[in-house]
Amino acid sequence: MLILTRKKGESIQIGDDIEITISAVNGDQVKIGINAPKNIEIHRKEIYIEIQNENKNAVLEVKNLLDILPSKKQ
Amino acid sequence: MLMKTKYHSEVEINENDIWQFENGLPGFPEEKEFCILPLQEDKGFFILQSTKTPEIAFVISNPFSFVPNYEFKIDEQTLEQLELQSKEDLQVLTILTVQDPFEKTTANLLAPLLFNVKNKKAKQMIINGSNYVTKHPLFYIKGGK
């Protein structure tokens, strides 16, 4: 992993169109600004992983799905 | 064209039935085309079926039927990706993680599915800064209402 040292207000340029700016530092918290093309998805990693995992859970085979669902007659 | 599915064996679909997920779904970046198939329409349950991979299918539902006050902001990026111009063109569904017994089933309210019915573009959007969770119990809320 490439590691760079930056100060508040400084930026990192990735390729032609992604810019990451350190906007504030407060103790162990860092505020980061990101400029990127609209088609690039940017998420807090732990939340993205949670959604990935939930999608993988949701796609698991549900045996006898139609039997499990609440009956139509109810 | 004929499509192999997970829960319906083979079904006949046409091009107009296909929803385009430009970036796939989180965890399934290569799955970019899906169809919505009926499961129990009267109960509001449908299947989101990958057109490419028969094993990839989600049980989905209308979140407003069990959380009537479900509310979130669509971010600018998503509006642009879906080319969404009017609320009337938007359909919202949510992925269920079905459990046996069904009472344990949960809904992913943190990342709803958004569909632009006008151009067939769709996306699973992760809601920014909300208290919604990926495992919202379907029946807890219903019983609590």
Side-chain angles (χ1 to χ4, degrees):
Chain A
M1 187 189 285
L2 172 68
I3 298 186
L4 303 171
T5 302
R6 302 274 61 196
K7 289 180 179 156
K8 184 183 159 188
E10 293 181 335
S11 297
I12 293 167
Q13 183 76 26
I14 302 175
D16 268 350
D17 43 21
I18 298 177
E19 183 193 18
I20 294 173
T21 304
I22 308 303
S23 78
V25 181
N26 187 0
D28 63 356
Q29 256 195 351
V30 180
K31 247 187 196 164
I32 295 172
I34 303 160
N35 270 322
K38 291 282 178 196
N39 61 331
I40 293 190
E41 302 274 340
I42 301 164
H43 299 287
R44 291 175 178 85
K45 180 157 185 180
E46 67 279 10
I47 292 179
Y48 193 76
I49 288 175
E50 197 187 335
I51 303 292
Q52 278 185 326
N53 288 341
E54 194 57 29
N55 279 349
K56 285 175 181 166
N57 280 338
V59 95
L60 290 178
E61 177 85 52
V62 183
K63 296 254 184 282
N64 312 318
L65 178 62
L66 286 169
D67 297 336
I68 296 170
L69 290 176
S71 124
K72 285 182 182 180
K73 292 199 179 78
Q74 277 175 13
Chain B
M1 65 184 197
L2 271 181
M3 179 178 69
K4 282 199 170 141
T5 73
K6 187 171 182 172
Y7 296 108
H8 297 72
S9 61
E10 277 197 344
V11 294
E12 177 74 30
I13 56 158
N14 66 58
E15 288 290 318
N16 303 334
D17 297 331
I18 296 175
W19 295 93
Q20 304 290 340
F21 287 73
E22 190 188 5
N23 295 329
L25 273 70
F28 301 94
E30 299 307 318
E31 304 294 335
K32 298 178 193 292
E33 292 192 341
F34 285 86
C35 273
I36 296 180
L37 304 172
L39 182 61
Q40 273 196 357
E41 282 174 275
D42 55 335
K43 293 273 179 194
F45 298 118
F46 301 87
I47 297 286
L48 185 71
Q49 171 70 54
S50 159
T51 60
K52 191 175 83 170
T53 316
E55 299 75 39
I56 308 274
F58 300 92
V59 180
I60 59 176
S61 183
N62 177 352
F64 302 102
S65 65
F66 49 88
V67 186
N69 57 354
Y70 186 40
E71 194 175 52
F72 57 85
K73 188 170 185 284
I74 302 176
D75 58 69
E76 213 177 298
Q77 180 188 28
T78 301
L79 288 176
E80 275 188 36
Q81 283 173 341
L82 298 182
E83 294 165 23
L84 196 61
Q85 282 163 353
S86 153
K87 211 176 162 185
E88 276 68 54
D89 300 333
L90 175 70
Q91 194 182 351
V92 179
L93 291 163
T94 189
I95 296 180
L96 303 184
T97 302
V98 175
Q99 305 283 354
D100 187 6
F102 190 72
E103 286 66 33
K104 286 179 157 178
T105 294
T106 56
N108 185 347
L109 294 187
L110 185 58
L113 300 163
L114 309 185
F115 300 84
N116 183 344
V117 297
K118 222 169 194 175
N119 60 13
K120 298 300 236 181
K121 289 186 180 205
K123 179 184 173 179
Q124 185 177 20
M125 186 191 79
I126 302 175
I127 303 175
N128 232 325
S130 89
N131 292 324
Y132 290 119
V133 295
T134 55
K135 289 183 189 293
H136 183 97
L138 219 50
F139 289 94
Y140 170 75
I141 281 295
K142 223 177 180 178
K145 283 273 154 194

